[in-house]
Short mmCIF file of all heavy atoms in Angstrom, two decimals:
data_model
loop_
_atom_site.label_atom_id
_atom_site.label_comp_id
_atom_site.label_asym_id
_atom_site.label_seq_id
_atom_site.Cartn_x
_atom_site.Cartn_y
_atom_site.Cartn_z
N GLY A 27 -97.58 -89.40 37.34
CA GLY A 27 -98.57 -89.85 38.25
C GLY A 27 -100.00 -89.49 37.83
O GLY A 27 -100.94 -90.28 37.87
N ASP A 30 -101.03 -91.65 34.86
CA ASP A 30 -101.31 -93.09 35.24
C ASP A 30 -102.51 -93.15 36.21
O ASP A 30 -102.82 -94.29 36.58
CB ASP A 30 -100.05 -93.66 35.88
CG ASP A 30 -98.94 -93.90 34.89
OD1 ASP A 30 -99.18 -93.89 33.69
OD2 ASP A 30 -97.79 -94.00 35.32
N GLY A 31 -103.09 -92.03 36.49
CA GLY A 31 -104.30 -92.11 37.38
C GLY A 31 -103.92 -92.27 38.86
O GLY A 31 -104.77 -92.72 39.68
N ARG A 32 -102.71 -91.98 39.23
CA ARG A 32 -102.31 -92.13 40.65
C ARG A 32 -103.10 -91.28 41.57
O ARG A 32 -103.44 -91.62 42.71
CB ARG A 32 -100.81 -91.77 40.75
CG ARG A 32 -100.24 -91.95 42.17
CD ARG A 32 -98.76 -91.75 42.16
NE ARG A 32 -98.19 -91.85 43.51
CZ ARG A 32 -96.87 -91.64 43.78
NH1 ARG A 32 -96.00 -91.43 42.82
NH2 ARG A 32 -96.46 -91.81 45.07
N TRP A 33 -103.45 -90.08 41.12
CA TRP A 33 -104.37 -89.19 41.86
C TRP A 33 -105.53 -88.78 40.93
O TRP A 33 -105.32 -88.56 39.75
CB TRP A 33 -103.61 -87.97 42.37
CG TRP A 33 -102.36 -88.20 43.06
CD1 TRP A 33 -102.26 -88.71 44.40
CD2 TRP A 33 -101.05 -88.04 42.62
NE1 TRP A 33 -100.95 -88.83 44.69
CE2 TRP A 33 -100.12 -88.41 43.66
CE3 TRP A 33 -100.45 -87.63 41.40
CZ2 TRP A 33 -98.75 -88.49 43.56
CZ3 TRP A 33 -99.06 -87.64 41.27
CH2 TRP A 33 -98.25 -88.01 42.33
N PRO A 169 -108.44 -108.89 29.23
CA PRO A 169 -108.01 -108.22 30.53
C PRO A 169 -109.18 -108.19 31.52
O PRO A 169 -110.30 -107.77 31.16
CB PRO A 169 -107.60 -106.80 30.07
CG PRO A 169 -107.24 -106.95 28.68
CD PRO A 169 -108.20 -107.95 28.13
N THR A 170 -108.90 -108.59 32.73
CA THR A 170 -109.96 -108.63 33.75
C THR A 170 -109.46 -108.08 35.09
O THR A 170 -108.31 -108.38 35.47
CB THR A 170 -110.45 -110.07 34.02
OG1 THR A 170 -110.87 -110.61 32.75
CG2 THR A 170 -111.55 -110.15 34.98
N PHE A 171 -110.26 -107.27 35.71
CA PHE A 171 -109.93 -106.70 37.10
C PHE A 171 -110.93 -107.33 38.07
O PHE A 171 -112.13 -107.14 37.91
CB PHE A 171 -110.02 -105.22 37.10
CG PHE A 171 -109.49 -104.58 38.33
CD1 PHE A 171 -108.16 -104.05 38.35
CD2 PHE A 171 -110.20 -104.52 39.56
CE1 PHE A 171 -107.64 -103.48 39.54
CE2 PHE A 171 -109.70 -104.00 40.68
CZ PHE A 171 -108.41 -103.47 40.68
N ALA A 172 -110.37 -108.01 39.06
CA ALA A 172 -111.22 -108.67 40.09
C ALA A 172 -111.39 -107.68 41.26
O ALA A 172 -110.40 -107.48 41.99
CB ALA A 172 -110.65 -109.96 40.54
N MET A 173 -112.52 -107.08 41.39
CA MET A 173 -112.79 -106.19 42.52
C MET A 173 -113.42 -107.05 43.61
O MET A 173 -114.59 -107.42 43.57
CB MET A 173 -113.74 -105.07 42.12
CG MET A 173 -114.00 -104.05 43.16
SD MET A 173 -115.00 -102.68 42.58
CE MET A 173 -115.11 -101.62 44.08
N PHE A 174 -112.58 -107.37 44.66
CA PHE A 174 -112.98 -108.23 45.71
C PHE A 174 -113.19 -109.66 45.17
O PHE A 174 -112.68 -109.99 44.08
CB PHE A 174 -114.16 -107.74 46.49
CG PHE A 174 -114.06 -106.30 46.81
CD1 PHE A 174 -115.07 -105.40 46.42
CD2 PHE A 174 -112.99 -105.77 47.44
CE1 PHE A 174 -114.97 -104.01 46.75
CE2 PHE A 174 -112.86 -104.41 47.81
CZ PHE A 174 -113.85 -103.54 47.42
N ASN A 177 -109.98 -114.11 44.74
CA ASN A 177 -109.03 -114.02 43.62
C ASN A 177 -107.60 -114.42 44.02
O ASN A 177 -106.66 -114.25 43.24
CB ASN A 177 -108.91 -112.58 43.11
CG ASN A 177 -108.58 -111.57 44.25
OD1 ASN A 177 -107.44 -111.53 44.76
ND2 ASN A 177 -109.55 -110.74 44.63
N SER A 178 -107.41 -114.99 45.21
CA SER A 178 -106.05 -115.41 45.66
C SER A 178 -105.54 -116.46 44.81
O SER A 178 -106.28 -117.37 44.29
CB SER A 178 -106.11 -115.90 47.15
OG SER A 178 -107.00 -117.00 47.27
N ASN A 179 -104.24 -116.49 44.53
CA ASN A 179 -103.58 -117.48 43.76
C ASN A 179 -103.92 -117.41 42.29
O ASN A 179 -103.62 -118.36 41.54
CB ASN A 179 -103.71 -118.89 44.27
CG ASN A 179 -103.27 -119.02 45.73
OD1 ASN A 179 -102.25 -118.40 46.09
ND2 ASN A 179 -103.97 -119.73 46.53
N LEU A 180 -104.60 -116.42 41.84
CA LEU A 180 -104.96 -116.27 40.42
C LEU A 180 -104.20 -115.06 39.81
O LEU A 180 -104.07 -114.02 40.47
CB LEU A 180 -106.50 -115.99 40.28
CG LEU A 180 -107.34 -117.17 40.66
CD1 LEU A 180 -108.85 -116.79 40.55
CD2 LEU A 180 -107.09 -118.42 39.85
N SER A 181 -103.78 -115.24 38.60
CA SER A 181 -103.05 -114.19 37.90
C SER A 181 -103.95 -113.15 37.28
O SER A 181 -104.15 -113.15 36.09
CB SER A 181 -102.15 -114.83 36.79
OG SER A 181 -101.34 -113.86 36.13
N LEU A 182 -104.52 -112.35 38.15
CA LEU A 182 -105.46 -111.31 37.77
C LEU A 182 -105.14 -110.01 38.52
O LEU A 182 -104.83 -110.04 39.72
CB LEU A 182 -106.91 -111.70 38.16
CG LEU A 182 -107.62 -112.70 37.26
CD1 LEU A 182 -109.00 -113.01 37.85
CD2 LEU A 182 -107.73 -112.18 35.80
N ALA A 183 -105.26 -108.88 37.88
CA ALA A 183 -105.30 -107.59 38.62
C ALA A 183 -106.49 -107.61 39.61
O ALA A 183 -107.57 -108.05 39.21
CB ALA A 183 -105.36 -106.44 37.70
N SER A 184 -106.28 -107.15 40.80
CA SER A 184 -107.32 -107.31 41.79
C SER A 184 -107.24 -106.27 42.93
O SER A 184 -106.15 -105.66 43.11
CB SER A 184 -107.35 -108.70 42.42
OG SER A 184 -106.15 -108.94 43.12
N LEU A 185 -108.35 -106.07 43.62
CA LEU A 185 -108.40 -105.19 44.74
C LEU A 185 -109.15 -106.01 45.85
O LEU A 185 -110.27 -106.51 45.63
CB LEU A 185 -109.24 -103.93 44.39
CG LEU A 185 -109.45 -102.95 45.54
CD1 LEU A 185 -108.17 -102.35 45.97
CD2 LEU A 185 -110.46 -101.90 45.10
N SER A 186 -108.48 -106.24 46.91
CA SER A 186 -109.04 -107.12 47.97
C SER A 186 -108.93 -106.40 49.32
O SER A 186 -108.00 -105.64 49.59
CB SER A 186 -108.30 -108.42 48.09
OG SER A 186 -108.31 -109.13 46.83
N GLN A 322 -110.30 -94.64 49.36
CA GLN A 322 -109.54 -93.69 48.61
C GLN A 322 -108.70 -94.25 47.49
O GLN A 322 -108.43 -93.66 46.46
CB GLN A 322 -108.61 -92.84 49.54
CG GLN A 322 -109.40 -91.97 50.52
CD GLN A 322 -108.45 -91.19 51.43
OE1 GLN A 322 -107.27 -91.39 51.44
NE2 GLN A 322 -109.05 -90.30 52.23
N ARG A 323 -108.31 -95.57 47.66
CA ARG A 323 -107.45 -96.17 46.65
C ARG A 323 -108.21 -96.99 45.66
O ARG A 323 -107.60 -97.47 44.67
CB ARG A 323 -106.44 -97.09 47.41
CG ARG A 323 -105.44 -96.33 48.30
CD ARG A 323 -104.68 -97.28 49.26
NE ARG A 323 -103.93 -98.31 48.45
CZ ARG A 323 -103.37 -99.38 49.07
NH1 ARG A 323 -103.53 -99.55 50.33
NH2 ARG A 323 -102.68 -100.21 48.35
N TRP A 324 -109.52 -97.19 45.83
CA TRP A 324 -110.28 -98.11 44.95
C TRP A 324 -110.29 -97.62 43.53
O TRP A 324 -109.79 -98.26 42.61
CB TRP A 324 -111.68 -98.25 45.48
CG TRP A 324 -111.86 -98.99 46.77
CD1 TRP A 324 -110.82 -99.31 47.63
CD2 TRP A 324 -113.04 -99.42 47.36
NE1 TRP A 324 -111.35 -99.96 48.72
CE2 TRP A 324 -112.68 -100.00 48.67
CE3 TRP A 324 -114.35 -99.37 47.01
CZ2 TRP A 324 -113.65 -100.58 49.46
CZ3 TRP A 324 -115.33 -99.94 47.85
CH2 TRP A 324 -114.96 -100.51 49.06
N VAL A 325 -110.89 -96.46 43.37
CA VAL A 325 -111.10 -95.94 42.01
C VAL A 325 -109.75 -95.58 41.31
O VAL A 325 -109.52 -95.96 40.18
CB VAL A 325 -112.08 -94.71 42.00
CG1 VAL A 325 -112.09 -94.09 40.61
CG2 VAL A 325 -113.46 -95.20 42.44
N PRO A 326 -108.80 -94.90 42.04
CA PRO A 326 -107.54 -94.61 41.36
C PRO A 326 -106.82 -95.86 40.86
O PRO A 326 -106.23 -95.91 39.82
CB PRO A 326 -106.74 -93.89 42.49
CG PRO A 326 -107.78 -93.25 43.28
CD PRO A 326 -108.91 -94.24 43.26
N ARG A 327 -106.87 -96.95 41.69
CA ARG A 327 -106.21 -98.18 41.26
C ARG A 327 -106.80 -98.76 40.02
O ARG A 327 -106.16 -99.19 39.10
CB ARG A 327 -106.22 -99.20 42.43
CG ARG A 327 -105.80 -100.60 42.01
CD ARG A 327 -104.32 -100.60 41.53
NE ARG A 327 -103.98 -101.91 41.00
CZ ARG A 327 -103.54 -102.15 39.75
NH1 ARG A 327 -103.45 -101.10 38.88
NH2 ARG A 327 -103.18 -103.35 39.34
N MET A 328 -108.14 -98.80 39.94
CA MET A 328 -108.83 -99.32 38.77
C MET A 328 -108.61 -98.45 37.54
O MET A 328 -108.47 -98.93 36.41
CB MET A 328 -110.30 -99.54 39.05
CG MET A 328 -110.53 -100.78 39.96
SD MET A 328 -112.25 -101.18 40.25
CE MET A 328 -112.72 -99.96 41.46
N LEU A 329 -108.58 -97.10 37.70
CA LEU A 329 -108.29 -96.20 36.64
C LEU A 329 -106.92 -96.41 36.10
O LEU A 329 -106.68 -96.45 34.88
CB LEU A 329 -108.46 -94.76 37.08
CG LEU A 329 -109.90 -94.23 37.32
CD1 LEU A 329 -109.82 -92.84 37.93
CD2 LEU A 329 -110.68 -94.24 36.03
N GLN A 330 -105.96 -96.65 37.03
CA GLN A 330 -104.59 -96.94 36.62
C GLN A 330 -104.52 -98.25 35.78
O GLN A 330 -103.86 -98.25 34.69
CB GLN A 330 -103.67 -97.08 37.87
CG GLN A 330 -102.23 -97.41 37.53
CD GLN A 330 -101.49 -97.79 38.80
OE1 GLN A 330 -101.82 -98.73 39.49
NE2 GLN A 330 -100.39 -97.01 39.04
N TRP A 331 -105.27 -99.27 36.17
CA TRP A 331 -105.30 -100.49 35.47
C TRP A 331 -105.88 -100.29 34.05
O TRP A 331 -105.31 -100.75 33.07
CB TRP A 331 -106.10 -101.52 36.20
CG TRP A 331 -106.32 -102.80 35.47
CD1 TRP A 331 -105.45 -103.81 35.30
CD2 TRP A 331 -107.55 -103.17 34.78
NE1 TRP A 331 -106.04 -104.84 34.61
CE2 TRP A 331 -107.33 -104.48 34.26
CE3 TRP A 331 -108.80 -102.61 34.61
CZ2 TRP A 331 -108.27 -105.17 33.47
CZ3 TRP A 331 -109.76 -103.30 33.88
CH2 TRP A 331 -109.45 -104.59 33.34
N VAL A 332 -106.99 -99.58 33.90
CA VAL A 332 -107.59 -99.30 32.57
C VAL A 332 -106.60 -98.57 31.69
O VAL A 332 -106.44 -98.83 30.53
CB VAL A 332 -108.93 -98.54 32.78
CG1 VAL A 332 -109.40 -98.05 31.44
CG2 VAL A 332 -109.92 -99.42 33.44
N ASP A 333 -105.92 -97.53 32.25
CA ASP A 333 -104.92 -96.80 31.46
C ASP A 333 -103.82 -97.73 30.97
O ASP A 333 -103.34 -97.62 29.85
CB ASP A 333 -104.32 -95.70 32.33
CG ASP A 333 -105.27 -94.52 32.45
OD1 ASP A 333 -106.31 -94.47 31.78
OD2 ASP A 333 -104.95 -93.55 33.22
N HIS A 334 -103.37 -98.59 31.85
CA HIS A 334 -102.29 -99.54 31.42
C HIS A 334 -102.86 -100.44 30.28
O HIS A 334 -102.13 -100.67 29.24
CB HIS A 334 -101.84 -100.42 32.59
CG HIS A 334 -101.02 -99.69 33.57
ND1 HIS A 334 -100.71 -100.15 34.82
CD2 HIS A 334 -100.46 -98.43 33.51
CE1 HIS A 334 -99.97 -99.30 35.48
NE2 HIS A 334 -99.82 -98.24 34.71
N ILE A 335 -104.09 -100.97 30.43
CA ILE A 335 -104.60 -101.81 29.36
C ILE A 335 -104.78 -101.07 28.07
O ILE A 335 -104.50 -101.59 26.99
CB ILE A 335 -105.94 -102.41 29.84
CG1 ILE A 335 -105.78 -103.26 31.14
CG2 ILE A 335 -106.58 -103.24 28.75
CD1 ILE A 335 -104.80 -104.39 31.01
N LYS A 339 -100.26 -102.22 28.01
CA LYS A 339 -99.37 -102.65 29.08
C LYS A 339 -100.06 -103.68 29.98
O LYS A 339 -101.15 -103.40 30.47
CB LYS A 339 -98.91 -101.44 29.90
CG LYS A 339 -98.00 -101.77 31.02
CD LYS A 339 -97.60 -100.43 31.73
CE LYS A 339 -96.72 -100.79 32.98
NZ LYS A 339 -96.41 -99.48 33.68
N GLU A 340 -99.44 -104.87 30.19
CA GLU A 340 -100.08 -105.82 31.03
C GLU A 340 -99.99 -105.36 32.47
O GLU A 340 -99.00 -104.89 32.96
CB GLU A 340 -99.33 -107.19 30.93
CG GLU A 340 -100.04 -108.33 31.65
CD GLU A 340 -99.28 -109.62 31.42
OE1 GLU A 340 -98.30 -109.92 32.07
OE2 GLU A 340 -99.81 -110.46 30.59
N ASP A 341 -101.10 -105.61 33.17
CA ASP A 341 -101.13 -105.21 34.63
C ASP A 341 -101.91 -106.24 35.37
O ASP A 341 -103.11 -106.36 35.27
CB ASP A 341 -101.81 -103.84 34.77
CG ASP A 341 -101.81 -103.30 36.20
OD1 ASP A 341 -101.57 -104.08 37.07
OD2 ASP A 341 -102.12 -102.13 36.36
N ARG A 342 -101.21 -107.00 36.21
CA ARG A 342 -101.87 -108.07 36.98
C ARG A 342 -101.55 -107.87 38.48
O ARG A 342 -101.60 -108.75 39.31
CB ARG A 342 -101.38 -109.41 36.61
CG ARG A 342 -101.76 -109.79 35.19
CD ARG A 342 -101.21 -111.16 34.71
NE ARG A 342 -101.52 -111.44 33.34
CZ ARG A 342 -102.55 -112.14 32.95
NH1 ARG A 342 -103.42 -112.60 33.79
NH2 ARG A 342 -102.74 -112.33 31.66
N ARG A 343 -101.23 -106.58 38.84
CA ARG A 343 -100.91 -106.31 40.23
C ARG A 343 -102.10 -106.40 41.19
O ARG A 343 -103.20 -106.05 40.88
CB ARG A 343 -100.32 -104.86 40.29
CG ARG A 343 -99.85 -104.49 41.73
CD ARG A 343 -99.03 -103.24 41.68
NE ARG A 343 -99.71 -102.09 41.20
CZ ARG A 343 -100.46 -101.29 41.99
NH1 ARG A 343 -100.53 -101.50 43.32
NH2 ARG A 343 -101.11 -100.24 41.51
N LYS A 344 -101.80 -106.99 42.37
CA LYS A 344 -102.84 -107.14 43.40
C LYS A 344 -102.67 -106.01 44.40
O LYS A 344 -101.62 -105.71 44.89
CB LYS A 344 -102.73 -108.52 44.03
CG LYS A 344 -103.05 -109.66 43.12
CD LYS A 344 -103.00 -110.97 43.89
CE LYS A 344 -103.41 -112.08 42.89
NZ LYS A 344 -104.77 -112.01 42.43
N THR A 345 -103.82 -105.46 44.79
CA THR A 345 -103.80 -104.33 45.78
C THR A 345 -104.59 -104.78 47.02
O THR A 345 -105.70 -105.27 46.84
CB THR A 345 -104.47 -103.06 45.21
OG1 THR A 345 -103.71 -102.66 44.04
CG2 THR A 345 -104.43 -101.93 46.23
N LEU A 346 -103.98 -104.70 48.20
CA LEU A 346 -104.64 -105.17 49.43
C LEU A 346 -104.88 -103.96 50.36
O LEU A 346 -104.02 -103.13 50.52
CB LEU A 346 -103.71 -106.15 50.12
CG LEU A 346 -103.30 -107.44 49.36
CD1 LEU A 346 -102.38 -108.24 50.20
CD2 LEU A 346 -104.56 -108.20 48.92
N ILE A 347 -106.09 -103.93 50.89
CA ILE A 347 -106.53 -102.84 51.76
C ILE A 347 -107.13 -103.43 53.08
O ILE A 347 -107.98 -104.28 53.00
CB ILE A 347 -107.58 -101.92 51.11
CG1 ILE A 347 -107.03 -101.34 49.77
CG2 ILE A 347 -107.96 -100.78 52.05
CD1 ILE A 347 -108.07 -100.52 49.04
#
Side-chain angles (χ1 to χ4, degrees):
D30 292 338
R32 182 175 178 181
W33 307 285
T170 304
F171 190 99
M173 185 177 179
F174 313 125
N177 59 71
S178 60
N179 302 321
L180 293 176
S181 182
L182 284 176
S184 62
L185 178 68
S186 303
Q322 293 180 355
R323 294 167 61 192
W324 294 9
V325 173
R327 170 62 187 120
M328 287 185 282
L329 288 173
Q330 180 189 59
W331 174 77
V332 171
D333 282 354
H334 287 168
I335 298 305
K339 179 180 177 181
E340 187 176 78
D341 183 346
R342 297 176 184 267
R343 181 167 63 87
K344 294 183 177 296
T345 302
L346 303 177
I347 304 175

